[in-house]
Amino acid sequence: MESERKQIKQKLEVFDILREAVTIYAKNINFIIFTLLSSIPFFCVMVYFEFLFQQTLVETPEFIYPLFLPFSDRYYAYHIEVIEAYPLDTNITLARSYVNNSDVGSYVNSSDFRSYANTPTVVTRIINHTDFRSFTSDYLPVLLQLVFLYLVPLHVLELCSAVVTMDLASKASSEDNKMSLKQMFQESIDLSVMKGTFITSLYMLFLSTCFMIAFPWTVSNLYGFYNAFGSYILFAVICGLALTMLLMKYLEWSATWNMSIVISVLDDIYGAGAFRVSYFLSSGNHNRGFLLMLVFFVFGLLLRVSSIFFGCYEGGYGIFLQIGLLCVVNTLKWVSCVIYFHDCKERKLEKKADVEVGKDLESNS
C-alpha cells in the first residue's frame, strides 16, 4: 500500500478519473508491457470463451423460441420448402426422406401436399422449426460449459491480473517511483495478498452471479405477465424498464464490489470487512461509481456487439483483436478503480477533518 500518496487538491469527476488512468497507463512503457504479459493466460481462455459465447448467443433464439411458443401454435411451426428439381417418380420418396416426425408424416400423406409434391420436377420437404436441435442435448451442455469457464478459470485468471495491476498502478501513480520491468515482476506476487483478495472476490462473484441470474428470471416472469394480458407493447415497455433498472443497480453496486477488491489489495482488508469499508467510502459517491462502471460497460458492449455484427465468432482474427482491446479496457478499469478508491478515501478524510474543525470552533466559541 502506498502510504505517502500526493494529496488530491480537487475533487475528481468521472472524466478526471479516466484521464488520470490513461495517463498512468500510457506514461510508463514498462507498465504497459507488464500488464499485457500478465494478461496472456486470461487472454487465451477468454478467446475460447468468447468464441463459444458468441456462437451460443447467436443460436439462442433457435432454442428459446420453441420454449415460448404456445402449444396450440406448434403445429403451424412447419413450412414446405422447394429444394431441388428431380424426375416425377422420385418426388414423394425424397420428400418423405426428410420427414421423421409422425405428425408431419400424416401431413405429407394428405391430398393437398401429394398434389403439390407430384408437380413435375419439383421436390419438396417439410421443415419443423421446433425440431432442428434439442435444447437438452445441444444447448444445455454448451451453456454449462460457459458457466464453468466463467466461474472458475476466467474468474481466477482475471483476479490474478487485476491484483498485480492494481498494486502496480498504486505504485506507478507516484512520480518518484520509477520501476523497471524486472522489479515489477519481482514485486508483483504476494501470496498472502492474493489469498485474501481471492476470499473477497468470492463474495463479489456470488453477488454478481445473483444479478446475472436475475436478468433471465425477470424476463421469464414478465413473459408470464405477457401471456396473461396478451399485450406485446406493454410487455416490451415493462421488460425494458425492469432490465434498465436492474442494470443500473448492478453497475452502481459493481463499483462498490470492485472497490472492495482494491481495498483487499492495498489495505489488506479481506472478505466482509472489505465490503463494509467499501460501502462506507462509496456512500455519497454512488453516482460517480455508477457512471464510471457505465463507461467500461459500454466499451465492453460495443466491442462484443461489433464482433458479433462482423461475424468474428465464425473464424478469423477479429475475435483476437476484440479480446486484446478488452484486456486493455480491463486494465484501465482497474487503474480507474484504484484512483476512485483514493479519491473517495480523500473525500472521507477531508469531511472528517472539516467535522473536527467545526467541533473545535464550537468548543472555542
Side-chain angles (χ1 to χ4, degrees), residues 79-85 116 119 121-127:
H79 74 269
I80 300 173
E81 179 180 294
V82 179
I83 53 174
E84 202 168 349
Y116 180 80
T119 303
T121 67
V122 174
V123 175
T124 60
R125 63 175 175 177
I126 289 183
I127 305 296

Side-chain angles (χ1 to χ4, degrees), residues 263-301:
I263 291 170
S264 294
V265 175
L266 302 183
D267 285 353
D268 300 330
I269 303 174
Y270 310 116
F275 273 80
R276 285 194 295 267
V277 175
S278 178
Y279 181 79
F280 170 74
L281 295 178
S282 298
S283 58
N285 298 294
H286 292 297
N287 289 335
R288 286 196 310 151
F290 163 74
L291 291 175
L292 188 63
M293 292 299 105
L294 179 62
V295 170
F296 291 104
F297 173 79
V298 171
F299 269 116
L301 183 63

Side-chain angles (χ1 to χ4, degrees), residues 294-311:
L294 179 62
V295 170
F296 291 104
F297 173 79
V298 171
F299 269 116
L301 183 63
L302 289 176
L303 287 174
R304 181 163 285 164
V305 170
S306 61
S307 180
I308 294 175
F309 178 78
F310 290 108

Side-chain angles (χ1 to χ4, degrees), residues 120-221:
T121 67
V122 174
V123 175
T124 60
R125 63 175 175 177
I126 289 183
I127 305 296
N128 180 354
H129 290 289
T130 64
D131 201 30
F132 275 145
R133 301 175 66 184
S134 170
F135 177 87
T136 304
S137 61
D138 296 323
Y139 187 78
L140 189 58
V142 178
L143 187 62
L144 293 176
Q145 185 179 1
L146 286 172
V147 171
F148 172 77
L149 288 172
Y150 174 78
L151 293 179
V152 183
L154 276 182
H155 172 70
V156 174
L157 293 175
E158 184 180 16
L159 176 67
C160 293
S161 177
V163 169
V164 296
T165 298
M166 288 183 288
D167 183 49
L168 290 177
S170 180
K171 296 174 181 177
S173 61
S174 173
E175 296 180 356
D176 299 329
N177 193 355
K178 301 295 183 181
M179 300 177 64
S180 65
L181 190 61
K182 182 179 179 180
Q183 287 177 315
M184 289 182 178
F185 277 102
Q186 289 175 344
E187 299 181 14
S188 63
I189 301 176
D190 189 333
L191 293 181
S192 61
V193 173
M194 195 73 72
K195 180 180 178 181
T197 308
F198 178 73
I199 296 174
T200 306
S201 72
L202 292 180
Y203 285 82
M204 175 181 172
L205 182 64
F206 172 76
L207 294 172
S208 62
T209 303
C210 290
F211 263 94
M212 294 301 173
I213 296 174
F215 282 97
W217 181 84
T218 301
V219 174
S220 61
N221 279 272

Side-chain angles (χ1 to χ4, degrees), residues 306-329:
S306 61
S307 180
I308 294 175
F309 178 78
F310 290 108
C312 297
Y313 59 91
E314 296 176 350
Y317 298 100
I319 197 79
F320 294 93
L321 177 61
Q322 178 212 340
I323 303 304
L325 293 174
L326 182 64
C327 289
V328 175
V329 171

